[in-house]
């Protein structure tokens, strides 16, 4: 890499920036997010970096961006007005959904509305059967009539999802051509190009989500590229995907639904990089920012993926990292419910107005206010400049929490921390214990602006023996994006009993998918030596309604390959569900391929400086029901020989690390703080 590489991660409270220099030096900074126009914070931060570093914009060769535009559009139902075209008789499929409930015994649970209204669903006479044969071909006159009706409906985007189009896409392509002729100003998403897989409800939901967010992403990227161009940026702009890879802006504007977990995916990529550097191959990553906490699990150096994601209560059947998100961040608001119980979140004060202590008009007490009142935060250490105001934090907590519960302000603040921690521990159990993993075999990698403050308490509650705090916790997700590669995903439904004959067909179909991926990556400028291809097959016991993904063995389609797949499935099924059915017929369902274009690697050097044992100061911190004087260390002065025992605080511009009583901290060669949580 000859020039600079810049990663930008837009969050609910802050937008994070991580610049990698020509010599491997990192420069990090943060800007308050601008929810009304996310690009404003992005551009302000880039302008500041260019100005403070004294570099020409043209020297930034690569710009990687994680955005929440698609995420917020789906969660808040503020996407484009979508028209859906489907096969006659299937108009209500996206509204009926499936019979399963989020909570089995909650009979009052309500399904969220899909991002399309019923009056915006249009039917057309056509039918392709499950074997791909054409029973009824759509007529040109009817397609033009439907296009005209959509034109008069006020639609801003169109989704097309026809029955069995995953087997044969001809009718969807015909409709797409007609729509582009009659409605050239609207974007058109067809299911066979986005998600050529069976299961009608999930395929329709995914297509509708893409149609809803596509105009917003298209406009956002267009404005951002224009603004960067006017500033003299000639670098390639890549957008982070939910699968941990990046895609070109062209592909992101077409298949925008692939970016719904754009920001959180950077945190998982950071976890993978940390696992590679440190040798801790089992990690639970916990990214606690201002609005939410994103949790994922890395086992034996590999992340966990899912093709059964849910966003805003709607299925999204696209490959994505398995990330569990809850509304628990520094800006999460504490409140007392009607029964007198203390609650925290999921509502957040966000960037505007922010926690009470920001002094920007926020009046609600938040987790950040509680940490400040308890002395855990330095009032002068505000990430985006300025100072935090302890008197505002104390006043908010006293008035709205302590007074109502009859507690001292310190007790109320400590209660807020305990409540939010309990919610985060439950969420961490979802990705570990509930998936068959023992937390005692993992290391907790905690980052985000608020993560290191809570990490040790979370680890002890969960039984995790070790905590890892990266060098720049507040911008770690952006740092993770720096190591991302370009990734294109392909899938194809192929239902068959798994035997040697079927395995030969599977290998042949995957070969065709590899060739398609090779051509796509070549068009993006990657050479053969810069390409990598990974393939999976979704398998299930015949008769099951769910499946598991297994990597396809290398080599020819022989009995050894079949046996390896079968035994691998039995073991994985036992790990997930506690039993295996040896001798039962296995059924292949869907073939998957990830085509990766490898970008220039990111070099991470070791720290050359020695550590200092001496604290730079001390302050009063409220711990375990009492005020204590604890040493404070400056993270900038910490090197590989540094050690400390809790209680102690490590302060830096983008975050604060709290070492609880009995914790033993040290610094590794890469600048990570390692805290052993178990008292011997």
């Amino acid at each position: 890499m000859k020039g600079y590489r810049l990663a930008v991660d837009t969050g609910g409270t802050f937008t994070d920036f991580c610049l990698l220099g020509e010599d491997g030096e990192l420069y990090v900074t943060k800007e308050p997010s601008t929810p009304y126009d996310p690009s404003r914070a992005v551009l302000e931060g880039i302008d500041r970096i260019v100005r403070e570093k004294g570099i020409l914009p043209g020297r930034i060769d690569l710009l990687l961006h994680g955005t929440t535009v698609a995420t917020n559009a789906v969660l808040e139902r503020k996407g484009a007005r979508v028209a859906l075209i489907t096969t006659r008789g299937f108009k209500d499929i996206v509204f009926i959904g499936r019979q399963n409930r989020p909570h089995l015994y909650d009979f009052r649970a309500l399904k969220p509305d899909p991002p399309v209204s019923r009056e915006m669903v249009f039917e057309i006479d056509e039918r392709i059967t499950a074997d791909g044969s054409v029973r009824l071909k759509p007529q040109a006159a009817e397609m033009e009539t439907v296009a005209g009706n959509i034109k008069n409906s006020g639609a801003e985007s169109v989704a097309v999802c026809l029955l069995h189009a995953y087997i044969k896409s001809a009718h969807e392509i015909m409709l797409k051509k007609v729509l582009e002729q009659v409605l050239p100003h609207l974007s058109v998403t067809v299911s066979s190009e986005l998600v050529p897989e069976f299961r009608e409800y999930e395929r329709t939901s995914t297509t509708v989500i893409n149609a809803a967010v596509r105009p917003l992403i298209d406009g956002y990227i267009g404005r951002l590229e224009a603004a960067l161009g006017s500033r003299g940026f000639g670098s390639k702009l890549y957008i982070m995907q939910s699968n941990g890879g990046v895609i070109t802006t062209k592909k992101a504007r077409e298949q925008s639904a692939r970016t719904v977990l754009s920001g959180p995916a950077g945190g998982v990529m950071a976890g993978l990089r940390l696992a590679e550097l440190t040798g801790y191959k089992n990690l639970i990553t916990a990214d606690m920012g201002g609005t939410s906490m994103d949790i994922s699990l890395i086992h034996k150096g590999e992340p966990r993926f899912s093709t059964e994601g849910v966003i805003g209560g709607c299925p999204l059947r696209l490959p994505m990292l398995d990330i569990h998100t809850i509304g628990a961040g520094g800006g999460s608001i504490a409140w007392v419910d009607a029964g007198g119980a203390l609650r925290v979140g999921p509502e957040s004060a966000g960037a505007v107005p922010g926690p009470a202590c920001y002094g920007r008009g926020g009046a609600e007490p938040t987790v950040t206010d509680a940490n400040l009142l308890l002395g855990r935060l330095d009032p002068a250490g505000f990430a985006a400049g300025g100072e935090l105001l302890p008197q505002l934090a104390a006043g908010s907590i006293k008035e709205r929490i302590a007074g109502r519960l009859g507690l001292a302000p310190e007790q109320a603040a400590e209660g807020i921390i305990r409540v939010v921690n309990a919610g985060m521990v439950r969420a961490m159990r979802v990705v570990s214990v509930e998936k068959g993993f023992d937390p005692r075999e993992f290391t907790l990698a905690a980052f985000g602006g608020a993560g290191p403050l809570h990490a040790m308490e979370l680890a002890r509650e969960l039984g995790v023996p070790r905590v890892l705090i990266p060098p720049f916790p507040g911008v770690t997700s952006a740092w993770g994006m720096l190591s991302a590669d370009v990734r294109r995903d392909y899938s194809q439904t192929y239902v068959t009993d798994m035997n040697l004959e079927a395995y030969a067909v599977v290998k042949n179909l995957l070969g065709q998918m590899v060739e398609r991926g090779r051509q796509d990556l070549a068009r993006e400028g990657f050479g053969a030596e810069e390409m990598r291809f990974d393939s999976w097959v979704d398998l299930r016991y015949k008769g099951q309604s769910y499946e598991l993904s297994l990597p396809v063995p290398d080599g020819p389609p022989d009995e050894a390959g079949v046996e390896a797949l079968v035994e691998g499935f039995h073991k994985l099924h036992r790990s997930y569900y506690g039993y295996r059915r040896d001798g039962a017929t296995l059924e292949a369902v869907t073939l998957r391929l990830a085509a990766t274009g490898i970008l220039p690697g990111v070099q991470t050097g070791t720290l050359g400086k020695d550590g200092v044992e001496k604290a730079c100061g001390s302050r009063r911190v409220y711990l375990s029901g009492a005020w204590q004087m604890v040493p404070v260390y400056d993270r900038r002065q910490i090197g590989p020989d540094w050690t400390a025992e809790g209680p102690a605080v490590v302060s830096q511009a983008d975050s604060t690390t709290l070492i609880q009583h009995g914790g033993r901290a040290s610094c590794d060669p890469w600048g990570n703080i390692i805290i052993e949580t178990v008292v011997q």
Side-chain angles (χ1 to χ4, degrees):
M1 187 185 71
K2 297 181 180 180
Y4 289 83
R5 183 183 297 194
L6 176 63
V8 183
D9 176 29
T10 299
T13 304
F14 290 105
T15 297
D16 304 331
F17 302 82
C18 192
L19 179 72
L20 181 65
E22 296 171 306
D23 56 358
E25 179 188 3
L26 283 174
Y27 174 80
V28 302
T29 188
K30 301 169 82 74
E31 283 284 335
S33 292
T34 49
Y36 53 90
D37 181 6
S39 65
R40 180 175 175 180
V42 172
L43 295 170
E44 288 176 352
I46 291 176
D47 289 342
R48 182 149 68 95
I49 287 173
V50 170
R51 183 175 62 254
E52 292 184 358
K53 294 297 292 182
I55 60 176
L56 295 174
R59 293 185 63 194
I60 298 179
D61 294 338
L62 194 62
L63 181 57
L64 309 167
H65 183 25
T67 171
T68 58
V69 172
T71 315
N72 295 338
V74 178
L75 293 177
E76 299 172 8
R77 294 298 192 270
K78 293 182 179 178
R81 182 173 171 82
V82 177
L84 169 64
I85 303 176
T86 188
T87 303
R88 191 169 301 282
F90 290 82
K91 180 176 183 176
D92 290 316
I93 194 164
V94 75
F95 305 100
I96 295 173
R98 297 199 178 276
Q99 66 178 356
N100 52 310
R101 294 188 297 272
H103 304 285
L104 184 60
Y105 299 108
D106 184 1
F107 297 103
R108 295 173 293 179
L110 297 176
K111 291 183 178 179
D113 294 328
V116 61
S117 57
R118 195 172 186 278
E119 66 271 14
M120 294 295 290
V121 182
F122 301 84
E123 297 175 295
I124 193 165
D125 286 316
E126 71 83 36
R127 181 58 64 93
I128 291 176
T129 61
D131 62 4
S133 59
V134 177
R135 177 174 296 179
L136 180 61
K137 184 179 179 180
Q139 299 300 305
E142 185 182 15
M143 289 190 289
E144 292 175 359
T145 298
V146 169
N149 291 337
I150 291 174
K151 184 177 182 179
N152 296 328
S153 70
E156 299 170 316
S157 184
V158 184
V160 179
C161 190
L162 303 180
L163 188 66
H164 299 310
Y166 61 90
I167 292 291
K168 191 179 186 71
S169 63
H171 292 178
E172 285 196 347
I173 301 304
M174 291 169 60
L175 259 173
K176 182 180 180 181
K177 291 179 178 178
V178 171
L179 290 166
E180 289 176 339
Q181 291 173 357
V182 179
L183 305 168
H185 60 291
L186 298 186
S187 63
V188 180
T189 301
V190 298
S191 72
S192 53
E193 293 178 346
L194 179 67
V195 53
E197 300 179 26
F198 79 148
R199 293 201 169 101
E200 207 66 18
Y201 169 51
E202 288 79 4
R203 183 162 58 96
T204 305
S205 175
T206 303
T207 308
V208 168
I209 289 174
N210 191 79
V213 302
R214 184 173 173 179
L216 279 72
I217 288 289
D218 182 60
Y220 173 74
I221 292 177
R223 293 191 302 273
L224 188 58
E225 286 186 316
L228 291 172
S230 68
R231 285 164 165 79
F233 282 85
S235 61
K236 289 184 178 179
L237 174 60
Y238 286 103
I239 305 299
M240 195 74 191
Q241 298 183 85
S242 306
N243 60 16
V246 294
I247 49 176
T248 61
T249 54
K250 180 178 182 295
K251 183 59 66 174
R253 294 166 91 159
E254 295 171 352
Q255 300 190 355
S256 307
R258 295 188 183 276
T259 69
V260 294
L261 291 180
S262 179
V268 183
M269 296 307 296
L272 291 173
R273 184 69 173 147
L274 290 170
E276 178 185 354
L277 287 173
T278 65
Y280 296 126
K281 299 299 185 182
N282 290 351
L283 290 179
I284 297 174
T285 66
D287 181 2
M288 183 182 180
T291 304
S292 62
M293 186 183 211
D294 304 309
I295 307 163
S296 188
L297 184 139
I298 295 170
H299 183 236
K300 296 181 179 179
E302 296 292 334
R304 294 172 58 79
F305 288 90
S306 173
T307 57
E308 299 178 354
V310 176
I311 178 76
C314 300
L316 185 64
R317 197 168 179 81
L318 292 172
M320 60 181 63
L321 291 163
D322 191 1
I323 301 172
H324 185 59
T325 300
I326 62 170
S332 294
I333 295 173
W335 51 288
V336 178
D337 66 17
L342 177 60
R343 308 283 293 275
V344 180
E347 185 179 355
S348 171
V352 181
C357 61
Y358 282 14
R360 296 176 178 170
E364 302 290 343
T366 68
V367 173
T368 296
D369 293 308
N371 277 315
L372 180 62
L373 188 149
L374 295 174
R376 298 181 175 193
L377 288 175
D378 179 4
F382 190 25
E387 290 192 5
L388 300 177
L389 304 174
Q391 66 274 20
L392 294 182
S396 177
I397 291 174
K398 182 177 181 180
E399 176 185 349
R400 298 173 185 261
I401 304 296
R404 294 192 60 182
L405 298 179
L407 300 173
E410 295 89 347
Q411 294 174 318
E414 193 171 47
I416 291 172
I417 300 301
R418 289 177 179 173
V419 170
V420 75
N421 283 352
M424 292 189 286
V425 168
R426 286 194 297 270
M428 292 166 67
R429 290 183 184 276
V430 170
V431 305
S432 57
V433 177
E434 293 185 16
K435 297 293 178 64
F437 295 99
D438 187 346
R440 294 172 295 182
E441 299 174 358
F442 285 77
T443 295
L444 175 62
F447 43 89
L453 270 174
H454 299 255
M456 193 167 170
E457 292 166 299
L458 299 177
R460 281 181 166 171
E461 185 68 26
L462 200 62
V464 175
R466 185 182 306 106
V467 171
L468 185 156
I469 310 295
F472 302 101
V475 296
T476 293
S477 287
W479 177 75
M481 293 178 189
L482 292 174
S483 60
D485 293 313
V486 172
R487 172 167 164 160
R488 300 286 292 271
D489 286 294
Y490 307 86
S491 62
Q492 181 177 340
T493 289
Y494 176 62
V495 182
T496 181
D497 291 353
M498 180 50 66
N499 51 43
L500 182 57
E501 182 180 357
Y503 186 53
V505 176
V506 166
K507 295 287 281 189
N508 181 60
L509 291 173
L510 285 170
Q512 296 176 27
M513 295 165 69
V514 167
E515 184 57 33
R516 180 183 168 194
R518 196 185 312 277
Q519 294 175 8
D520 287 344
L521 290 177
R523 279 192 289 269
E524 294 182 13
F526 291 96
E529 71 283 357
E530 299 169 318
M531 300 180 186
R532 188 182 74 244
F533 302 95
D534 301 287
S535 56
W536 297 267
V537 57
D538 291 357
L539 294 172
R540 65 186 181 187
Y541 291 123
K542 194 164 186 176
Q544 284 182 325
S545 59
Y546 55 88
E547 53 275 344
L548 299 173
S549 289
L550 277 294
V552 177
D554 294 328
D558 53 18
E559 287 286 359
V562 177
E563 291 174 2
L565 268 180
V566 170
E567 179 59 24
F569 176 82
H570 287 319
K571 289 182 177 179
L572 190 60
H573 195 279
R574 182 181 181 87
S575 172
Y576 270 64
Y577 303 110
Y579 72 96
R580 54 185 286 168
R581 294 170 54 194
D582 293 300
T585 301
L586 296 191
E587 189 174 49
V589 173
T590 302
L591 313 181
R592 304 188 184 278
L593 176 79
T596 303
I598 302 173
L599 293 172
V602 175
Q603 300 299 321
T604 302
T606 57
L607 292 180
K609 60 189 176 185
D610 295 327
V612 292
E613 300 284 344
K614 189 176 180 181
C616 63
S618 62
R619 68 169 177 259
R620 294 173 70 242
V621 179
Y622 194 83
L623 294 170
S624 302
W627 289 99
Q628 305 177 44
M629 290 298 297
V630 304
V632 177
Y633 295 88
D634 185 346
R635 184 75 184 261
R636 295 170 299 179
Q637 301 301 318
I638 288 176
D641 295 330
W642 174 83
T643 60
E645 294 194 5
V649 170
V650 180
S651 183
Q652 61 190 109
D654 59 313
S655 187
T656 300
T657 301
L658 176 64
I659 306 168
Q660 293 279 353
H661 176 76
R664 295 184 178 92
S666 61
C667 180
D668 72 10
W670 296 277
N672 302 298
I673 291 178
I674 309 297
I675 306 173
E676 303 296 335
T677 66
V678 179
V679 179
Q680 301 295 331

